[in-house]
Amino acid sequence: MLPQHLYTPEAAKAISEQIMQAADVSHTMQHFSTFVKWNAHLYHEVLAAFQCGRTVQHQEMKQQSSGSNNKVEETIRHPKENWYESQIGFFDHYVIPLAERLDACGAFCAEEPKFAPFAVRNKEQWIEEGRECTRIMVNEAEEMELPNPMPITPVTGGDAIDDLLEKLTMSEMTGSTTHAGRLRQRGDESALDDTDADSTVAVPDEDAMSIPGSIDTSSRVSFVGSMASSKMSSSKWSRRSSLVEAGLCHEVEVDCSVNAIVPNIMVQQLVDSLQADVKSSPSDLQTMDALRGSILKYQSNGSIRRHRGALLFVDISGFTALSQNYPVEDFKTFINQYFTKIIDLVQKFGGQVVKFAGDALYAIWSMGELSDDVGSSAAAANGDEEVLHTVNIEKCTICAIAINAICNNYKVSKSYMRRRTSDLSDASAMLHDSRSQGDVMYNLQDKNAQYEERGSVLNVYCGVSEGIMAGVDVVASNRAEFFLVGKPLKDVAKAESLAGPGELIVSPSVYDSLRKKTIKSIASRLVFTEVESDFQRVSWPSHPTVDDMLLHFKNTDDITSKWKMGNTDAQSLIDKLIQNTQSTPKEVIGVSPADEDPDKLSLQSDLMRLLEYHRHEATRDVVGKFTAELRRVVVLFISIRYEPNLPQDPSEDNVMLENFQSIYSIICESISSRSGQVRQFINDDKGTVFIASFGLRRSVVLHPADTAVDAAKDAQKKLLEINIQCSIGITVGKIFCGETGSFQRYEYSLLGSPVNLSARLMAKGAWGQINCDEELKNHTGRRHNFTISGTYKLKGYEEP
């Protein structure tokens, strides 16, 4: 309840105005990392507008200048020149006074200030660290492909320009082009979910969150687009819509964040497989129809391709305790912030995240392909391929060291308000007081307000291996899964198992590669300690910064520039595939330009739909933020007795693919026919594992426990028909269900104690066994017979 003096129209209006002003700068009154993140978003916008000559200053100077645009550019300073200083002035003259007014208004029922302390602390930290933050931000922006500003219709006259800017500003105020709206358009959902790590700070409506900076925000020009978004222009989508209406093209809704759910290495493999299949036809039959047939074949057969590279496995401990200590929204925020740190480091060092495995992830530094202007024979003659592989091993190793330095012993804490139950008896007596009930409740809230601090610690365990591995993509029941197979997977699993918290263990082959380097190499700065069977613990005693680590790879730019290192988005790869395929010889009425060919547009939809099969069913067509919830779910872990070694002869890889495809199809049929959903199919430290669930969105059945047991029995029976054994663990319980990672790379995850228990029951079971916990047994009907298979002491559980 608010004090009575605030229940007046005048007070409400004044307070509302302050809150609306604060909504636009709320990031400045939260955690410092939140401020830095949104500050960087603004810099990217301002820089893009500056480069295109569309800041407010440009418009004003063009009205005043009668000369060329060069005079305008010379007069307007680059945004980076005064960025650091402008933020300090903004805190002094706007943010801190506003925060003090919010604390003084009395609308938040707090005895102590809530907002001003954060604003003052952020200013002080910016004074200390702002120059370094600005330097990093500027360097990152120089390497980014910044989005283009919204096109502005050319107009003449000052009044016309003012009218245009006013319309753009009004459009932004209505939310159609707000900062948060632009992030949604480009798939940056995790940025919308990064709220403050202290619950005492009010979080405003995210759609109203825009960031003021060194230009006038009242008439700021908005722009859309992203590195992650599809490069298909709005005009092309407009033509696509007209073709769909004419019946010349089939439409499919594709999320522009498809680049974030599939690794580039998988998209390149898909494109190469389809291209090879088309080229296997006679030259005169290599048409769009042939490509369409290859897509249909791919949906039944999948693909396999060998990759040579360095592999990093990062295992995280502490997620289960974290999920038990915090509400789901806070848990989601913490783990996504944590994953973002790891993923950002992987990408800074030139790697790409291939797979998430619950609270772990795999990243690869692969060779890629030679650039179009470099001949393969020349590269081989110069030995560039071997040199690049060595560089990839070094980058992967140093990235793991950086991850350990930044993400190990990572403390998470948050304050939560609680009420003392002993004081509830005072409420009854106070309600008989002569004062109004509103005043009583207000004073009661002030009196009983208390806070408790909840803290957790996250640790990382890293392993690195290298070698030749195969990427396998299997497809069944409108659901696809991509994973890696080969000796490097086994080596990296053993390396990680030997690592302690904050440690990196490398395989013998990685150690051999690193120790061959000269005294000038980065490996000469590392310390190696043998752990077991030539597996080595690696450390960097001088503890350099990430920027210093990256500087060591500057001299490799000439080599890496010759190779395509997996930084092309899915839409560009698909467009190139279609452009290299001949058009089917037929006339299309009313369509003449090549980019309006309905065959090409239809193929684009078919290919993007194939990529969308890698998205979890529970998140398809979901509008808004990252999905996240606590939900009661039945979880199945199926360990499959099929762990093949990569054949010596690459021509035999297709036999392995056929086996994986058969196994995947059989289990998918058993699960999806009963409304279950595939979570993952992976080959990792636990072997070949299939994970499924019942009870998520679009997977709600009347008796989920019974249905899951039926599916497990059916899958077990059908796998035996092809001489494949399995061990299955089934549990039920409330777990975290949501997308984890960063806006650049994420997957749908199931996290929590029931998930861990299901995996451990699977691992403890013998081949042919189906193990479940007591809770699942209690939720099933009488048609299933249960026997006690044994008592197990499981990791993470005190009682057997």
Side-chain angles (χ1 to χ4, degrees):
M1 288 289 184
L2 296 175
Q4 289 297 312
H5 71 273
L6 296 180
Y7 285 95
T8 63
E10 294 77 11
K13 181 179 179 180
I15 293 173
S16 297
E17 289 177 353
Q18 301 301 317
I19 293 176
M20 284 190 290
Q21 292 180 43
D24 197 45
V25 295
S26 61
H27 64 292
T28 62
M29 306 175 200
Q30 300 182 42
H31 193 274
F32 184 72
S33 62
T34 303
F35 165 68
V36 172
K37 177 174 184 176
W38 287 93
N39 194 51
H41 282 311
L42 173 64
Y43 178 78
H44 297 159
E45 291 187 356
V46 175
L47 180 60
F50 173 81
Q51 291 173 347
C52 296
R54 292 182 182 174
T55 65
V56 174
Q57 290 92 332
H58 279 91
Q59 298 295 336
E60 293 174 349
M61 290 298 297
K62 285 179 181 178
Q63 294 179 57
Q64 300 171 6
S65 175
S66 57
S68 64
N69 287 337
N70 292 333
K71 295 181 180 179
V72 177
E73 297 294 338
E74 292 173 0
T75 305
I76 301 176
R77 292 190 299 174
H78 193 285
K80 68 180 180 182
E81 293 183 15
N82 66 331
W83 194 267
Y84 168 75
E85 292 80 6
S86 67
Q87 304 309 306
I88 298 175
F90 187 67
F91 272 108
D92 286 337
H93 302 295
Y94 186 83
V95 174
I96 294 177
L98 175 61
E100 291 173 346
R101 291 197 298 271
L102 286 174
D103 288 330
C105 73
F108 298 95
C109 303
E111 293 182 351
E112 298 180 355
K114 291 183 176 183
F115 303 101
F118 274 91
V120 172
R121 187 158 57 245
N122 283 339
K123 176 202 166 184
E124 293 173 349
Q125 194 166 351
W126 178 259
I127 292 174
E128 295 178 1
E129 305 176 20
R131 292 190 185 278
E132 179 65 14
C133 293
T134 302
R135 185 186 66 80
I136 295 173
M137 178 179 67
V138 170
N139 291 339
E140 290 179 348
E142 290 176 353
E143 300 175 359
M144 293 174 59
E145 180 183 348
L146 294 174
N148 292 323
M150 287 175 53
I152 299 179
T153 305
V155 291
T156 57
D159 293 338
I161 292 177
D162 291 340
D163 292 342
L164 176 61
L165 291 174
E166 183 178 355
K167 290 178 181 178
L168 288 171
T169 304
M170 291 303 296
S171 174
E172 187 175 69
M173 290 175 63
T174 60
S176 61
T177 55
T178 58
H179 186 77
R182 290 190 296 277
L183 290 176
R184 289 196 181 97
Q185 290 175 351
R186 72 189 203 186
D188 189 359
E189 299 293 353
S190 65
L192 298 176
D193 294 333
D194 286 343
T195 54
D196 174 41
D198 194 310
S199 63
T200 62
V201 177
V203 180
D205 179 13
E206 291 165 359
D207 282 341
M209 195 176 289
S210 57
I211 311 172
S214 59
I215 66 171
D216 183 8
T217 58
S218 64
S219 55
R220 186 176 62 224
V221 179
S222 304
F223 21 84
V224 298
S226 167
M227 297 179 294
S229 66
S230 169
K231 291 191 175 181
M232 183 174 292
S233 65
S234 58
S235 59
K236 181 176 283 189
W237 281 111
S238 178
R239 291 195 298 273
R240 177 192 290 270
S241 300
S242 61
L243 290 169
V244 171
E245 293 176 1
L248 299 175
C249 174
H250 300 288
E251 181 62 286
V252 59
E253 292 185 4
V254 179
D255 192 326
C256 64
S257 63
V258 67
N259 295 283
I261 62 169
V262 290
N264 181 272
I265 192 175
M266 178 265 139
V267 182
Q268 186 69 61
Q269 177 173 316
L270 166 68
V271 169
D272 291 344
S273 298
L274 295 174
Q275 197 166 35
D277 191 62
V278 171
K279 288 185 176 181
S280 65
S281 305
S283 58
D284 58 333
L285 296 179
Q286 295 177 14
T287 64
M288 298 292 184
D289 286 340
L291 179 55
R292 189 170 287 106
S294 298
I295 294 173
L296 293 174
K297 189 187 300 183
Y298 192 100
Q299 292 178 357
S300 302
N301 301 336
S303 69
I304 188 169
R305 181 187 175 188
R306 295 198 175 198
H307 306 273
R308 187 187 185 197
L311 187 66
L312 168 64
F313 181 34
V314 181
D315 193 13
I316 304 167
S317 67
F319 271 9
T320 300
L322 198 67
S323 66
Q324 296 170 347
N325 287 343
Y326 299 96
V328 61
E329 284 297 320
D330 293 334
F331 174 67
K332 176 192 66 174
T333 298
F334 291 147
I335 63 174
N336 285 340
Q337 288 175 343
Y338 191 70
F339 267 128
T340 297
K341 291 179 180 294
I342 297 175
I343 295 169
D344 285 349
L345 286 171
V346 169
Q347 294 184 341
K348 280 184 178 180
F349 283 90
Q352 55 178 307
V353 175
V354 177
K355 197 79 173 176
F356 291 83
D359 52 4
L361 61 80
Y362 292 87
I364 189 172
W365 280 253
S366 62
M367 299 293 294
E369 292 185 319
L370 280 170
S371 299
D372 297 334
D373 57 346
V374 179
S376 58
S377 59
N382 295 331
D384 285 348
E385 182 175 339
E386 195 63 35
V387 173
L388 179 60
H389 181 59
T390 303
V391 171
N392 282 337
I393 292 174
E394 285 189 345
K395 286 185 175 181
C396 181
T397 303
I398 303 307
C399 178
I401 293 174
I403 290 172
N404 281 333
I406 294 175
C407 300
N408 191 63
N409 197 27
Y410 185 86
K411 295 178 175 60
V412 175
S413 64
K414 182 169 181 177
S415 298
Y416 291 88
M417 187 171 69
R418 60 185 173 87
R419 187 184 301 278
R420 295 196 305 268
T421 56
S422 60
D423 288 331
L424 292 180
S425 58
D426 297 338
S428 176
M430 293 181 70
L431 288 177
H432 295 286
D433 194 283
S434 58
R435 293 171 293 176
S436 68
Q437 184 173 339
D439 286 337
V440 171
M441 295 306 297
Y442 173 71
N443 291 331
L444 180 64
Q445 183 178 13
D446 284 346
K447 179 180 179 180
N448 294 333
Q450 289 187 353
Y451 295 91
E452 63 175 349
E453 186 82 11
R454 301 182 192 176
S456 296
V457 177
L458 301 177
N459 289 301
V460 288
Y461 307 73
C462 294
V464 170
S465 66
E466 63 81 35
I468 297 175
M469 59 206 97
V472 180
D473 194 30
V474 289
V475 188
S477 303
N478 296 334
R479 185 73 169 86
E481 279 289 315
F482 178 80
F483 57 95
L484 298 173
V485 178
K487 187 175 182 298
L489 274 294
K490 297 178 181 178
D491 287 346
V492 81
K494 182 176 180 180
E496 182 276 329
S497 68
L498 296 173
E503 291 184 349
L504 164 64
I505 306 295
V506 301
S507 68
S509 60
V510 171
Y511 173 59
D512 290 340
S513 176
L514 292 174
R515 69 177 180 175
K516 290 178 182 177
K517 301 297 290 182
T518 65
I519 194 170
K520 294 181 180 180
S521 71
I522 197 171
S524 64
R525 302 173 182 270
L526 305 179
V527 174
F528 299 91
T529 307
E530 184 173 354
V531 179
E532 176 185 313
S533 304
D534 291 331
F535 280 80
Q536 302 283 330
R537 181 184 296 108
V538 184
S539 60
W540 195 335
S542 61
H543 305 293
T545 65
V546 173
D547 288 341
D548 290 337
M549 294 179 183
L550 290 170
L551 283 175
H552 287 273
F553 299 103
K554 287 293 184 181
N555 59 352
T556 64
D557 291 344
D558 292 340
I559 298 173
T560 56
S561 63
K562 299 177 183 179
W563 298 79
K564 301 173 183 177
M565 303 298 290
N567 55 1
T568 308
D569 65 275
Q571 185 68 53
S572 298
L573 291 171
I574 287 173
D575 287 345
K576 185 176 180 180
L577 170 65
I578 295 174
Q579 288 169 6
N580 293 336
T581 307
Q582 300 176 16
S583 296
T584 304
K586 64 180 180 179
E587 264 188 60
V588 182
I589 300 176
V591 179
S592 55
D595 63 347
E596 295 182 5
D597 188 339
D599 275 350
K600 291 188 176 183
L601 295 178
S602 177
L603 282 170
Q604 284 174 338
S605 292
D606 292 341
L607 288 166
M608 293 300 284
R609 184 190 296 113
L610 190 54
L611 294 178
E612 281 287 321
Y613 287 168
H614 293 80
R615 189 188 299 274
H616 194 283
E617 297 100 314
T619 65
R620 294 177 186 173
D621 303 324
V622 176
V623 179
K625 306 177 183 178
F626 270 14
T627 56
E629 57 186 334
L630 283 178
R631 198 178 184 100
R632 192 170 189 80
V633 178
V634 179
V635 182
L636 294 84
F637 272 71
I638 305 176
S639 177
I640 299 143
R641 197 171 188 178
Y642 181 68
E643 299 180 36
N645 295 317
L646 209 57
Q648 293 291 330
D649 185 359
S651 63
E652 299 177 3
D653 288 353
N654 283 329
V655 175
M656 183 170 64
L657 172 63
E658 290 173 4
N659 291 334
F660 275 124
Q661 182 69 33
S662 298
I663 293 169
Y664 183 71
S665 299
I666 286 173
I667 304 179
C668 275
E669 173 61 25
S670 299
I671 298 296
S672 61
S673 63
R674 294 170 172 82
S675 299
Q677 293 174 340
V678 179
R679 157 62 187 105
Q680 197 169 61
F681 189 49
I682 190 172
N683 183 269
D684 62 2
D685 57 317
K686 300 179 181 67
T688 303
V689 177
F690 189 106
I691 307 173
S693 64
F694 290 84
L696 295 174
R697 295 174 184 173
R698 303 181 180 180
S699 177
V700 178
V701 294
L702 186 59
H703 302 291
D706 283 307
T707 305
V709 174
D710 289 337
K713 288 181 175 179
D714 187 52
Q716 185 184 61
K717 176 183 176 183
K718 291 179 178 177
L719 287 175
L720 281 176
E721 293 175 359
I722 60 171
N723 298 318
I724 297 292
Q725 292 181 303
C726 65
S727 170
I728 303 176
I730 313 177
T731 58
V732 62
K734 186 173 287 188
I735 61 175
F736 169 86
C737 317
E739 290 162 323
T740 56
S742 72
F743 79 94
Q744 295 172 311
R745 185 72 174 89
Y746 61 84
E747 281 188 8
Y748 190 83
S749 300
L750 307 178
L751 300 172
S753 297
V755 180
N756 298 337
L757 180 58
S758 179
R760 284 157 190 163
L761 290 175
M762 170 200 72
K764 287 291 184 180
W767 296 116
Q769 269 190 345
I770 300 177
N771 289 330
C772 69
D773 62 348
E774 185 73 20
E775 187 170 0
L776 183 117
K777 174 181 176 293
N778 295 335
H779 281 80
T780 56
R782 297 180 179 179
R783 56 193 176 91
H784 297 295
N785 296 320
F786 295 89
T787 58
I788 298 177
S789 61
T791 302
Y792 306 122
K793 182 70 171 95
L794 301 177
K795 177 182 176 183
Y797 293 86
E798 296 181 0
E799 298 295 330

